[in-house]
Amino acid sequence: YAFGVNFTGTQSTGLATDRFEYYVFPKINLQAELLRRVLAVYAGWDGTAHQNTLQSIMNEVPFITMNQEYRLSGTNRIYGGAQGALAGKLQYRAEASITAMSNALVFGRDSTMFTAVEGENVAALQAMYAGNVVKSTVRGELNLPLKDFVASTFLELNAYNQDPFLAQEGQVIGGMLTYAINELSVGANFKYVSGRFNGAGYDLFPLEDYMDLSARIDYEINANLSLSVRAYNLLNQRYMMWQGYGVRGTRGMFVLNYQF
């Protein structure tokens, strides 16, 4: 078992209303092994907070207005589940959780600023906050860790209520493969997302289901130097991440890292 408390606070100034925002979350985790290697159960209560900044908001959307408010978002999560081994090294994990989200970051239109998207003039996005969102989740995983190879797959079902939470992921099916030997590591990730909430007034740019496949190759040349090659959206899917803003097609990135 483990017990603790998480306190996060921030002072906001220069806005229409200056405010001090804070969250106090308990951190509780209980675990018990009922059948050796086969069945362990766990439950807990955990909370986290995230300070939204201009940089973090711009990482989410491609085009925003400068009329932004930077709030402290918090999540308060109660969870419980079971995990263990099945046949051989095959492992499972099943979990159910309820998460209360306060000031969850969402995006709405700001008609004072426009950009051209696929031949249409689309209003820029402005950061908004869903005051209270309750997310219910059921998630199942299968993992197969071997000496040099790891494979996993998962299914996640989410339901939301209270305030509208745009672009939510209702159902997610995914998988991951990783192969590592000596200094070389190769991996791929895949997920299929459906049940995305769009909200009223956004029928022109529906948030449809989408698939995403990415891959990477990492090589450690020595203790100080490493390189990576990463590829994103390998299926070249065209879908909206937010209303009116499509993701980029297949793209790659080369990274050379030196540290001392």
Side-chain angles (χ1 to χ4, degrees), residues 183-206:
E183 294 81 14
L184 178 67
S185 175
V186 180
N189 290 275
F190 172 82
K191 72 175 181 179
Y192 174 79
V193 179
S194 61
R196 304 172 70 206
F197 177 76
N198 203 38
Y202 296 112
D203 297 335
L204 181 61
F205 302 106

Side-chain angles (χ1 to χ4, degrees), residues 81-218:
Q83 61 186 7
L86 295 174
K89 294 187 176 182
L90 183 63
Q91 302 172 358
Y92 73 91
R93 183 182 180 97
E95 182 179 288
S97 64
I98 297 177
T99 304
M101 307 167 67
S102 301
N103 291 326
L105 178 65
V106 296
F107 295 94
R109 297 298 183 192
D110 183 340
S111 59
T112 63
M113 216 174 154
F114 291 85
T115 186
V117 178
E118 297 182 358
E120 299 281 347
N121 281 330
V122 179
L125 297 179
Q126 180 179 6
M128 304 173 66
Y129 298 90
N132 294 286
V133 177
V134 177
K135 174 184 176 182
S136 302
T137 300
V138 176
R139 180 184 174 97
E141 300 178 11
L142 289 175
N143 300 288
L144 182 62
L146 301 176
K147 180 180 179 182
D148 302 317
F149 176 80
V150 177
S152 66
T153 184
F154 71 90
L155 170 63
E156 183 175 294
L157 305 176
N158 300 309
Y160 300 79
N161 54 32
Q162 304 296 329
D163 294 344
F165 189 42
L166 302 182
Q168 67 185 18
E169 297 182 342
Q171 298 85 42
V172 186
I173 301 173
M176 181 270 290
L177 296 173
T178 299
Y179 177 78
I181 182 169
N182 299 326
E183 294 81 14
L184 178 67
S185 175
V186 180
N189 290 275
F190 172 82
K191 72 175 181 179
Y192 174 79
V193 179
S194 61
R196 304 172 70 206
F197 177 76
N198 203 38
Y202 296 112
D203 297 335
L204 181 61
F205 302 106
L207 296 177
E208 299 173 341
D209 301 354
Y210 71 88
M211 293 182 291
D212 184 75
L213 175 64
S214 62
R216 62 171 180 81
I217 300 175
D218 301 319

